[in-house]
Amino acid sequence: MLKGKTVVIGVCGGIAAYKVCEIISKLKKLGANVRVCMTDAAQKFVTPLTFQSLSQNAVATGMFDPVKSWDIEHISLAKAADVMLIVPATANIIGKISAGIADNIVTTTVMATKAKVIIAPAMNTQMYENPITTENIERLKKLGYVFVDPEGGRLACGDVGKGKLADVDDIIEEVITHLLYEKDLAGKNVLITAGPTMERIDDIRYITNHSSGKMGYALARVAARRGANVTLISGKVCITPPKKVNTIYIQSAKQMHGEVMKYSKDMDIVIKAAAVGDFYVKNQADGKIKKDKINTIELEKNPDILQTLGQNKNFVLVGFSMETEKLSLYSVEKLKKKNADFIVANDLTHEGAGFGTDTNIVRIFHQNGETEDLPLMSKEKLAGEILDRAARLLK
Ligand code: C5P
């Protein structure tokens, strides 16, 4: 995913320096080239050898080290960076960067780079909340530096409060976002539904379907990376919610209908990727129906959420269709009946398409009668393609 991208990490002197090991390892697994520079204080916590081994690159530790080549280290690092990450960022380094001080390998590299600089602070709560630090952070934010805010919790010094390094995955997410995505959906409100619905039979049993939620979650993740304010209304799935997304869990189609109607008013784009159950159980029982008492389950039609949205829409509306036969015929019918701007159709008989897979192969049906066949691709790549088409329809 990050092949061909270079992440330069500036490590500073805080106990959270050990977490940089995991960050490097994860970035390497994503295919990034990782180069590390360290302040003197950082080297008291973790040795350069550790980062050298994990990054498979020499680690820069000082500006006056004996030369290995005639490149000036901080300039060559600054030029190589596609993104620079400062982690853990101490009050000291934030103060120095904010004041334009360049007196070590990390600060000189920051000063010399044109790449986006992402700063992940970690420090004692009093230091973090000190107005000097707050002001420095505000100043740097205004200058375009990106912060991954620390979390609250028990700190290494024993205090409880804000200052714990952000979750490693949140830091990685920020790096991915800046390396791979434009913020073309900034300020746009996007609503996505995902996963299956569950229709209750009694307190023990329910009717559901095979939807894994992967397509809808990929849409939410990519929309958030592209800067949108994303609301995800999700059925029960086994995947972690995407970062920076407002995820609301529901069970039944009626609950999904209620939440969608509540949120859809302020939306620019609504994408209905959920596999909504067509029926609910009319004769639901309290407690557990005993085996010998079960006779007939009566089914009643659920509201069609997509169709309701299509009746009075002031947003771009995208639907999905999943068929095992007559894909075109049924999808065009759906497009007309539900008044979506386009329908993303997958044929379940195609290998690599549909439920549970990490890939999809789809045909897109547009209102103007055009159809597009997209080749087999990852759900994440397809999410980008769908969002591109929805974004083009925005007024
Ligand atoms: O009619 P069908 O269920 O095949 O249509 C699929 C599309 O309609 C999907 O976008 C799905 O999320 C949406 N849908 C809905 N409410 C329903 C059934 C389907 O919003 N009750």
Side-chain angles (χ1 to χ4, degrees):
M1 185 190 212
L2 299 182
K3 204 158 179 280
K5 304 286 181 190
T6 297
V7 182
V8 173
I9 307 183
V11 188
C12 309
I15 181 59
Y18 81 92
K19 292 188 181 167
V20 178
C21 297
E22 198 186 342
I23 294 177
I24 298 173
S25 161
K26 288 196 165 175
L27 288 172
K28 290 292 287 180
K29 279 188 192 138
L30 291 169
N33 177 33
V34 181
R35 304 214 14 211
V36 179
C37 54
M38 304 173 76
T39 64
D40 288 347
Q43 293 165 57
K44 308 268 187 230
F45 289 93
V46 181
T47 69
L49 183 62
T50 308
F51 293 145
Q52 180 186 301
S53 311
L54 287 166
S55 70
Q56 296 169 306
N57 272 318
V59 171
T61 49
M63 291 191 296
F64 309 107
D65 294 341
V67 288
K68 291 170 226 96
S69 74
W70 283 108
D71 276 345
I72 301 167
E73 194 87 64
H74 66 273
I75 302 294
S76 73
L77 273 179
K79 281 187 185 158
D82 290 303
V83 79
M84 182 162 184
L85 180 59
I86 311 292
V87 56
T90 55
N92 179 48
I93 205 89
I94 292 170
K96 281 184 179 176
I97 300 172
S98 165
I101 293 170
D103 64 345
N104 63 36
I105 187 71
V106 175
T107 48
T108 46
T109 307
V110 172
M111 281 292 270
T113 193
K114 283 188 176 161
K116 180 63 77 186
V117 179
I118 299 171
I119 301 179
M123 65 193 80
N124 167 272
T125 308
Q126 313 305 331
M127 294 174 88
Y128 185 67
E129 287 173 354
N130 187 310
I132 300 173
T133 308
T134 314
E135 223 178 276
N136 286 333
I137 291 175
E138 283 315 309
R139 177 178 151 72
L140 287 172
K141 279 186 181 167
K142 280 197 199 108
L143 290 171
Y145 290 77
V146 175
F147 279 79
V148 188
D149 292 338
E151 295 175 358
R154 189 189 168 280
L155 307 178
C157 57
D159 286 2
V160 176
K162 203 164 177 189
K164 202 165 122 74
L165 186 73
D167 188 79
V168 163
D169 289 332
D170 288 350
I171 296 172
I172 305 266
E173 179 69 18
E174 205 60 53
V175 172
I176 293 172
T177 298
H178 286 277
L179 283 175
L180 301 184
Y181 295 90
E182 299 288 333
K183 298 277 183 203
D184 64 326
L185 294 176
K188 301 292 177 202
N189 296 326
V190 177
L191 177 67
I192 291 161
T193 68
T197 55
M198 281 163 70
E199 300 302 340
R200 186 180 168 279
I201 299 171
D202 63 12
D203 284 348
I204 314 289
R205 307 171 180 99
Y206 55 83
I207 301 172
T208 189
N209 59 59
H210 287 297
S211 173
S212 64
K214 283 183 180 173
M215 189 64 241
Y217 275 53
L219 280 159
R221 187 164 55 247
V222 173
R225 285 176 179 170
R226 286 166 64 162
N229 309 311
V230 183
T231 306
L232 172 66
I233 299 175
S234 171
K236 193 175 181 185
V237 293
C238 299
I239 44 181
T240 39
K243 307 278 177 201
K244 295 190 177 170
V245 164
N246 176 25
T247 305
I248 296 151
Y249 293 99
I250 54 84
Q251 291 194 341
S252 67
K254 279 189 184 169
Q255 285 169 357
M256 179 173 277
H257 179 264
E259 293 298 330
V260 169
M261 292 309 147
K262 191 160 97 193
Y263 285 95
S264 59
K265 288 182 215 79
D266 304 320
M267 291 297 151
D268 298 294
I269 298 173
V270 178
I271 306 180
K272 292 267 341 20
V276 186
D278 289 315
F279 309 101
Y280 71 92
V281 178
K282 203 175 157 201
N283 54 339
Q284 290 174 39
D286 290 331
K288 182 184 174 187
I289 304 173
K290 298 307 288 175
K291 339 188 176 192
D292 45 359
K293 290 249 175 68
I294 286 197
N295 42 41
T296 312
I297 292 173
E298 289 174 50
L299 298 176
E300 192 92 346
K301 247 182 158 210
N302 267 325
D304 192 312
I305 309 168
L306 183 60
Q307 194 169 336
T308 316
L309 290 171
Q311 280 160 8
N312 193 12
K313 67 182 167 82
N314 56 351
F315 39 72
V316 175
L317 181 61
V318 182
F320 272 71
S321 103
M322 193 168 259
E323 304 294 349
T324 50
E325 55 173 356
K326 296 183 185 157
L327 183 78
S328 298
L329 179 73
Y330 292 149
S331 301
V332 170
E333 267 176 25
K334 245 167 251 181
L335 181 70
K336 297 258 143 41
K337 191 167 130 204
K338 305 197 186 196
N339 196 30
D341 288 280
F342 61 91
I343 291 266
V344 182
N346 36 126
D347 184 339
L348 279 188
T349 59
H350 279 157
E351 201 170 321
F355 289 137
T357 57
D358 289 318
T359 57
N360 220 341
I361 174 161
V362 301
R363 181 175 292 171
I364 299 184
F365 295 86
H366 295 270
Q367 271 296 346
N368 63 5
E370 273 177 31
T371 59
E372 292 179 274
D373 277 307
L374 302 191
L376 181 74
M377 62 181 81
S378 69
K379 285 186 172 167
E380 197 153 297
K381 173 122 199 319
L382 178 60
E385 296 286 340
I386 293 169
L387 289 165
D388 285 348
R389 282 158 183 77
R392 269 183 236 137
L393 296 173
L394 287 170
K395 282 158 211 117

